[in-house]
Amino acid sequence: MAADQSPRHPVEDRTAALIDAVRLRLAEAGAPPTSGSVAAALRAARPPLGGGDTLDAVRALHAELVGAGPLDQLLNTPGVTDVLVNGPDEVWIDRGAGLERASAVRFADAEAVRHLAHRLATAAGRRLDDARPWVDARLPDGTRLHAVLPPIAAGCTHISLRVCRSRPFTLDELVAAGALPPVGAELLAGVVRARLSLLISGGTGTGKTTLLAALLGLVGPGERIVLAEDSAELRPDHPHVVRLQSRPPNQEGLGELTLRDLVRQALRMRPDRLVVGEVRGAEASDLLTALNTGHEGGSGTVHANTAADVPARLEALGALAGLDRLSLHSQLRSALDVVVHLAREPETGLRRVAELHVLTEDAQGLAVTAPAVTFTPYGECATGPGWHRLRERCAARGVELPRSPR
């Protein structure tokens, strides 16, 4: 026997047999694998186990039939933000300081990883099979799921899970965590009160959604926020939020609802704040059009390496909607006010607000950004060429920013 295929403990064998028995009872009864139905099936199975073994069996049953299998213990570990599965014995976690290997957690084989991906996709109400070998969805407990099947994923099914906090971060908590200095929180709060349109830019895992949710929590309680997202990820602490979520096509290729469809519908729902969770397609054109037609204070996130790259990024997305370059830049200059860029420190893994830019134009009339405020990892800040423009835009909306953020 190979070294990595050590004999299983007798209790593990009995637990595995009990899981199969409970799964069979649930199938015969046609009951969904909820906590209650699993407990009832377990009682009916009358397991010949001792107290401690029964407790282990209950935990294993819950993880296998309701939870995330062997990943449950990682998802429930305080501080874990991401759980990544690259193979049966390649499980990684992120506690906010970079990736580390979870060597104590492994799957029986590649088929077990695929089985878990299928079950999680089903729990999220999404399709995952050879015809559509990927899924991006939200699990019932709020965890974000992304999974890719072979042959798209070489060798083994890949699973990515992002843990959702029970409540969103506040700006004060982000300040305490070092994500931005107190003066940065004051400036962002002023931008929200002034109803300036903003995009939060940054790379993957820099905290764009976290910051956006915190800022939306500052919106006045009398305002109506309408969210359009591919997967329902934003959960702002606000009393009036309407959530719209896109949908992939069914097996016949029908019924697809794109993010662009959602943005168009959101405009008919009397939004005080229109929010696009992530701008990454032709919906960029509809969002800019909305922000140019009286929908002030809109916001969203976009992937970009720097704040200065955002106009070029939106230009590429606008081309997907058939907008020519000059038309896109003309809309962009009048629609977008502020770009908030996030970065992640390579050594410490700290996610932080790096800079605030305002929109302006160059000699050719194209939209460009100008730095208003930059922040160092040590909480220091400095103003840039766009600082006076930012103060003027806020003052025009009745919000006075300090003469200097220092």
Side-chain angles (χ1 to χ4, degrees):
M1 181 175 295
D4 61 342
Q5 296 178 338
S6 56
R8 301 201 328 175
H9 191 277
V11 172
E12 294 179 347
D13 290 333
R14 291 197 298 269
T15 301
L18 186 58
I19 291 173
D20 291 337
V22 170
R23 186 180 284 120
L24 178 60
R25 286 181 178 273
L26 291 176
E28 292 174 345
T34 63
S35 298
S37 63
V38 169
L42 178 61
R43 288 194 297 269
R46 297 179 180 179
L49 301 174
D53 292 345
T54 301
L55 183 58
D56 291 339
V58 170
R59 290 170 177 165
L61 280 167
H62 185 274
E64 288 296 329
L65 300 178
V66 180
L71 304 181
D72 254 4
Q73 58 180 296
L74 300 178
L75 294 172
N76 294 325
T77 301
V80 170
T81 60
D82 295 85
V83 177
L84 311 174
V85 181
N86 298 340
D89 56 354
E90 290 187 47
V91 181
W92 299 78
I93 62 173
D94 188 346
R95 304 175 192 262
L99 294 176
E100 57 184 284
R101 193 158 185 168
S103 56
V105 177
R106 60 170 298 160
F107 291 81
D109 50 34
E111 185 58 32
V113 180
R114 184 184 179 104
H115 175 76
L116 176 60
H118 274 292
R119 184 164 57 76
L120 293 177
T122 301
R126 293 298 179 92
R127 172 186 174 190
L128 181 64
D129 52 34
D130 291 338
R132 188 175 182 83
W134 61 80
V135 65
D136 186 8
R138 176 72 49 179
L139 298 176
D141 67 353
T143 301
R144 180 174 178 178
L145 163 71
H146 186 272
V148 184
L149 301 180
I152 302 299
C156 180
T157 300
H158 292 276
I159 301 175
S160 303
L161 296 171
R162 175 160 293 179
V163 180
C164 178
R165 276 173 55 94
S166 57
R167 63 175 183 82
F169 281 98
T170 64
L171 273 188
D172 289 340
E173 289 174 328
L174 294 178
V175 169
L180 74 166
V183 65
E186 294 175 8
L187 293 178
L188 290 178
V191 167
V192 173
R193 289 198 309 273
R195 297 181 59 83
L196 299 186
S197 301
L198 65 90
L199 278 181
I200 300 176
S201 64
T204 301
T206 52
K208 298 186 296 297
T209 301
T210 298
L211 178 61
L212 180 55
L215 294 181
L216 292 177
L218 302 178
V219 172
E223 298 185 56
R224 174 178 169 95
I225 300 174
V226 181
L227 308 177
E229 300 179 87
D230 273 330
S231 60
E233 190 170 4
L234 280 167
R235 294 187 174 186
D237 183 13
H238 192 275
H240 197 160
V241 179
V242 177
R243 297 178 176 86
L244 304 179
Q245 182 174 342
S246 65
R247 183 179 67 189
N250 59 20
Q251 294 186 0
E252 289 74 34
L254 304 175
E256 181 180 17
L257 295 175
T258 67
L259 200 55
R260 191 174 192 185
D261 296 327
L262 300 187
V263 172
R264 290 176 174 176
Q265 297 309 309
L267 295 176
R268 296 172 173 83
M269 300 175 70
R270 195 208 169 278
D272 291 307
R273 305 269 185 161
L274 174 61
V275 181
V276 178
E278 182 180 341
V279 181
R280 55 180 173 183
E283 68 278 356
S285 169
D286 299 281
L287 177 62
L288 294 178
T289 300
L291 298 181
N292 272 305
T293 54
H295 293 84
E296 299 175 344
S299 56
T301 72
V302 64
H303 277 78
N305 293 326
T306 66
D309 290 336
V310 169
R313 172 71 170 150
L314 293 178
E315 179 183 326
L317 298 179
L320 299 176
L323 273 182
D324 62 80
R325 189 183 191 195
L326 292 180
S327 298
L328 183 281
H329 281 265
S330 176
Q331 287 201 42
L332 182 56
R333 289 198 311 274
S334 57
L336 188 61
D337 296 307
V338 179
V339 176
V340 182
H341 188 72
L342 300 180
R344 186 167 186 172
E345 295 302 312
E347 295 182 357
T348 63
L350 176 66
R351 305 163 185 175
R352 65 180 186 87
V353 177
E355 49 189 348
L356 272 65
H357 281 219
V358 295
L359 268 290
T360 181
E361 61 179 299
D362 62 12
Q364 288 75 40
L366 300 180
V368 294
T369 70
V373 186
T374 58
F375 302 98
T376 71
Y378 310 104
E380 302 168 345
C381 63
T383 59
W387 171 244
H388 294 295
R389 183 178 179 87
L390 178 61
R391 290 190 72 240
E392 291 172 356
R393 296 304 296 267
C394 287
R397 305 285 181 85
V399 176
E400 291 293 335
L401 297 182
R403 291 188 176 277
S404 174
R406 295 185 180 88

